[in-house]
């Protein structure tokens, strides 16, 4: 099973600041990495697929990069609605696995 | 618009059974793989099962293999998860998801399953 590690566990920032979230895989997964946002009480929402492609209707302030084992999600300028938990997920091999999440709070 | 509407959550005793359903609309259902993902209270996300667009193959996580069964009805645009031999650790919110762009691109609203004596 591929284990995903996310850092930091919590990121405390202010609106307008840049957020950089990391996801590391226990073995190479090429570009097969997705990112999700989950706000309290809501279902997760796909942000980025295949490491760097934005999903439908996702604002341009969200960007993803990386390949192999190291991946990054960047939020260029935090908006109030961006304070949430972010999960990475690999689809390189079964079982599909998620990271433990990074909470971005104010 | 793509919509996934779930039903069927509830409270069961350990060893019991429950069936979750998910109705899809707004897209060509028969063309997409579907999956179930769950989230235990206060915890992260766990993929548990997927089914191809045709219904075969199906895949399960080790945590539910042999106890849960995923199925779909392309004529009715629906996917289901039959959960048997329920355990306390199966307590979670269960999400129905569409697999698009090699990701879980649309999610249902979630169904709460509580397993407790």
């Amino acid at each position: 099973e591929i284990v995903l590690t996310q850092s930091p566990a919590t990121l405390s920032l202010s609106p307008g600041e840049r957020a950089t979230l990391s996801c590391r895989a226990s073995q190479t997964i090429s570009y097969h990495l997705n990112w999700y946002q989950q706000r309290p009480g809501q279902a997760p929402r796909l942000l980025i697929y295949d490491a760097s492609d934005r999903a439908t209707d996702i604002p341009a302030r969200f960007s993803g990069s990386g390949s192999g084992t190291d991946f990054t999600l960047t939020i260029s300028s935090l908006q109030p609605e961006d304070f949430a938990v972010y999960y990475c997920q690999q689809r390189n091999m079964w079982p599909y696995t998620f990271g433990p999440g990074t909470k971005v709070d104010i | 618009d793509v919509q996934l509407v779930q039903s069927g959550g509830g409270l069961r005793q350990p060893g019991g059974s429950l069936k979750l359903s998910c109705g899809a609309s707004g897209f060509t259902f028969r063309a997409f793989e579907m999956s179930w993902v769950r989230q235990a209270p206060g915890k992260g996300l766990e993929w548990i099962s997927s089914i191809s667009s045709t219904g075969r193959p199906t895949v399960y996580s080790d945590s539910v293999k042999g106890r849960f069964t995923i199925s779909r009805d392309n004529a009715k645009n629906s996917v289901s998860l039959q959960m048997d031999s329920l355990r306390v650790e199966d307590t979670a919110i269960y999400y129905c998801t569409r697999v698009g762009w090699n990701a879980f691109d649309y999610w249902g609203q979630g169904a709460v399953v509580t397993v407790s004596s």
Side-chain angles (χ1 to χ4, degrees):
Chain A
E1 174 174 315
I2 295 175
V3 177
L4 298 179
T5 304
Q6 292 187 244
S7 60
T10 304
L11 194 54
S12 297
L13 295 168
S14 300
E17 289 193 297
R18 183 184 188 90
T20 302
L21 289 66
S22 174
C23 178
R24 176 165 290 178
S26 59
Q27 63 189 79
T28 184
I29 57 172
S30 186
Y31 60 92
H32 302 150
L33 193 284
N34 306 315
W35 289 95
Y36 303 84
Q37 175 195 67
Q38 188 176 34
R39 296 170 178 149
Q42 295 187 15
R45 175 174 73 143
L46 176 66
L47 297 176
I48 301 289
Y49 63 93
D50 289 348
S52 60
D53 291 329
R54 269 190 307 277
T56 304
D57 295 331
I58 300 303
R61 64 180 181 273
F62 291 93
S63 63
S65 63
S67 66
T69 60
D70 291 306
F71 300 85
T72 301
L73 174 69
T74 302
I75 311 171
S76 59
S77 177
L78 281 164
Q79 301 301 300
E81 61 270 26
D82 299 337
F83 292 92
V85 179
Y86 293 83
Y87 295 95
C88 58
Q89 174 250 329
Q90 65 82 21
R91 65 161 188 87
N92 188 69
M93 63 186 294
W94 304 104
Y96 291 163
T97 49
F98 290 86
T102 290
K103 182 178 181 181
V104 178
D105 65 14
I106 301 177
Chain B
D1 287 1
V2 172
Q3 284 200 323
L4 298 173
V5 179
Q6 298 181 227
S7 60
L11 171 65
R12 290 292 184 272
Q13 292 188 336
S17 297
L18 193 61
K19 186 173 185 177
L20 305 181
S21 297
C22 175
S25 62
F27 64 101
T28 305
F29 180 75
R30 65 181 180 274
F32 287 85
E33 178 181 335
M34 300 294 292
S35 296
W36 290 91
V37 174
R38 70 182 180 183
Q39 186 169 36
K43 301 298 184 182
L45 302 168
E46 178 190 14
W47 165 82
I48 58 171
S49 185
S50 295
I51 186 168
S52 73
S53 60
T54 63
R56 292 285 189 274
T58 57
V59 193
Y60 299 91
S61 68
D62 285 347
S63 61
V64 307
K65 195 178 299 181
R67 300 187 300 120
F68 290 11
T69 304
I70 190 172
S71 61
R72 66 189 294 158
D73 186 336
N74 284 347
K76 295 183 178 179
N77 289 352
S78 68
V79 61
S80 298
L81 186 69
Q82 175 66 44
M83 302 185 294
D84 299 318
S85 302
L86 284 163
R87 303 169 179 168
V88 171
E89 55 265 33
D90 294 321
T91 296
I93 299 174
Y94 286 73
Y95 293 102
C96 165
T97 72
R98 190 183 83 165
V99 180
W101 301 108
N102 296 311
F104 305 122
D105 66 343
Y106 286 93
W107 297 64
Q109 82 277 18
V112 177
V113 173
T114 303
V115 184
S116 174
S117 55

